[in-house]
Amino acid sequence: MNQHTRIDLKPIPFIDVAAQRRRLGQSVDDAIARVTTHCQFILGPEVKQLEKDLAAFCGARHAISCASGTDALELVLLAREIGPGDAVICPSFTFCATAEVAALLGATPVFADVDEATFNMDVASLERAVAAARKQGLKPKAVIPVDLFGLPADHDAIAKVAAAEGLFVLDDAAQAFGATYKGKKLGTIGDACATSFFPAKPLGCYGDGGAVMTNDDELADRIVSLRVHGFNKDDKYDNVRIGITGRLDTIQAAILIEKLKIFEDEIVARNTAAARYNAALADVAAVPLVPEGYTSVWAQYTLRLGPGRRDAFVAAMKERGVPTAAYYPKPLHRQGAYGHFPAAAGGLPVSDRLAAEVISLPMHAYLDEPTQARVIEAVRAALKS
Ligand SMILES: *Cc1c(COP(=O)(O)O)cnc(C)c1O
């Protein structure tokens, strides 16, 4: 490919937030204008409306919006009074926030390995992580399975171990809101579910945002209080617990109400794009697996390349104007702030291998066929070279 053709090609966005913005058009402008007219910027009427819509969308009794996906995770652990001496089991192959919230509260994250085929928590390793926690004198209190890249974890298998070990299950669905597991939408699985509305997530807002879903009335009450400094609902100047400033802005709620209306449609489009990648790449690369009875919302479309191939692949893709991203190049147990925390006995070899071998391709609901054909052609060429 010469310099000239490269300049002629429009750069391919990794996630095309602008295309979605064009589709939403005036509806989002109007929604924002309503908020800047009524001026209830904090916990305005749109926040309640969004919470109703989110709960209805996934079938949970409660949806409590908050300031980020990280806050959503933290609010649940705070509500459970998890702290020093407690162990919270989570995968190592995830975004840092999953483990960060446990550490921030003085609890100890304990790392489990993930499954080679789904990249999600390996249940045998979860059991070993519980044993590792006990061996260190920690009380295993909770497990945070992650629905990585939009694909649900094996929630039935995790629930079995959790029941046997007395663990609270907090589903980290930051990347997977809208996905289903055996006919149930995430948000209704586990004791509580946290999601994120960071712009790059499948359902993103125009800033930071998140939500907790739960069917537990008492837990929901506590989270509503903790989200605003631990207020007493009968006397707001009597704070009854130590909380955070964790509200979702009304403007973000107004935007999310409009975006939720097209979300099902976008999930279909993401699945269409993923199916096109699968069909065109399965003969040359390890394409993502979606087990029977699961659906994904494709937060990422991730290939596994095999050892030692990623750098050359990334360079070859870049040469052809196609952006890629390595999620995640370092598992948490190899990172500076997390390396000293305990892990399941036998180490986390799958997390280590995946971190070295995975690469994500452009993926969003507005990936049209010609653009995708360019990506596919680039992948096939890059893998041959
Ligand atoms: C994005 C993400 C979070 C945190 O969400 P924020 O809204 O960015 O705070 C937590 N866990 C996982 C797995 C994520 O991908």
Side-chain angles (χ1 to χ4, degrees):
M1 196 186 307
N2 65 36
Q3 194 63 29
H4 185 73
T5 52
R6 211 179 306 162
I7 288 162
D8 277 352
L9 291 174
K10 238 178 41 195
I12 294 176
F14 190 71
I15 295 177
D16 197 346
V17 178
Q20 183 195 54
R21 179 69 191 91
R22 286 193 295 277
R23 171 178 176 183
L24 287 160
Q26 195 62 33
S27 71
V28 163
D29 294 319
D30 292 347
I32 293 169
R34 282 193 293 275
V35 179
T36 54
T37 302
H38 69 51
C39 293
Q40 296 177 60
F41 301 123
I42 299 293
L43 298 181
E46 284 83 357
V47 173
K48 271 242 144 58
Q49 183 61 51
L50 173 69
E51 291 176 340
K52 254 195 220 155
D53 293 354
L54 291 170
F57 179 89
C58 67
R61 274 174 71 83
H62 304 277
I64 302 137
S65 62
C66 60
S68 69
T70 307
D71 277 5
L73 293 166
E74 186 183 6
L75 282 165
V76 176
L77 296 189
L78 268 172
R80 295 291 299 175
E81 299 181 325
I82 283 170
D86 297 337
V88 176
I89 321 296
C90 70
S92 175
F93 190 60
T94 178
F95 182 62
C96 63
T98 313
E100 184 183 36
V101 289
L104 204 55
L105 296 176
T108 304
V110 178
F111 295 118
D113 209 356
V114 293
D115 176 79
E116 199 97 40
T118 63
F119 307 166
N120 280 326
M121 187 178 263
D122 176 273
V123 177
S125 184
L126 164 61
E127 286 179 316
R128 288 197 293 275
V130 171
R134 291 225 168 85
K135 213 169 154 190
Q136 301 223 357
L138 299 164
K139 279 179 263 164
K141 286 280 182 71
V143 54
I144 309 184
V146 177
D147 308 300
L148 201 73
F149 303 154
L151 178 73
D154 187 357
H155 288 288
D156 283 351
I158 290 163
K160 244 187 227 152
V161 176
E165 302 285 356
L167 303 174
F168 180 90
V169 180
L170 167 53
D171 181 22
D172 181 347
Q175 302 181 6
F177 190 65
T180 64
Y181 176 81
K182 300 185 182 176
K184 283 163 65 179
K185 276 218 167 75
L186 298 188
T188 60
I189 297 172
D191 297 302
C193 171
T195 197
S196 165
F197 303 128
F198 183 81
K201 308 286 168 149
L203 179 62
C205 60
Y206 292 171
D208 280 304
V212 177
M213 272 65 63
T214 183
N215 290 333
D216 179 335
D217 296 346
E218 209 212 300
L219 186 75
D221 275 353
R222 279 171 169 261
I223 290 169
V224 166
S225 161
L226 286 162
R227 179 176 67 173
V228 189
H229 305 291
F231 72 95
N232 174 349
K233 71 174 184 301
D234 304 313
D235 174 359
K236 77 170 181 169
Y237 290 103
D238 175 35
N239 293 296
V240 289
R241 40 181 83 84
I242 304 295
I244 63 174
T245 316
R247 296 166 296 235
L248 179 73
D249 291 346
T250 309
I251 284 185
Q252 298 301 344
I255 292 163
L256 283 164
I257 288 168
E258 297 311 312
K259 291 193 53 167
L260 192 57
K261 291 177 188 165
I262 62 166
F263 188 43
E264 284 286 9
D265 198 39
E266 290 184 332
I267 292 172
V268 171
R270 284 171 175 277
N271 275 281
T272 302
R276 284 200 295 251
Y277 273 146
N278 286 343
L281 298 174
D283 63 324
V284 291
V287 298
L289 172 81
V290 178
E292 185 76 37
Y294 295 47
T295 65
S296 177
V297 291
W298 301 101
Q300 303 296 340
Y301 183 91
T302 303
L303 298 176
R304 185 164 176 192
L305 298 176
R309 304 191 63 189
R310 188 166 59 201
D311 289 350
F313 179 83
V314 168
M317 293 293 281
K318 197 171 171 198
E319 180 83 4
R320 291 170 175 84
V322 181
T324 56
Y327 297 117
Y328 295 93
K330 240 186 200 189
L332 294 182
H333 73 286
R334 299 282 177 204
Q335 296 188 17
Y338 297 96
H340 66 287
F341 290 121
L348 310 174
V350 180
S351 297
D352 282 328
R353 283 201 291 274
L354 291 177
E357 296 179 24
V358 291
I359 193 73
S360 300
L361 304 181
M363 168 54 76
H364 53 86
Y366 302 89
L367 191 55
D368 59 50
E369 262 188 280
T371 307
Q372 208 174 355
R374 268 182 67 194
V375 178
I376 289 163
E377 200 186 290
V379 171
R380 296 189 68 93
L383 287 174
K384 262 188 225 135
S385 62

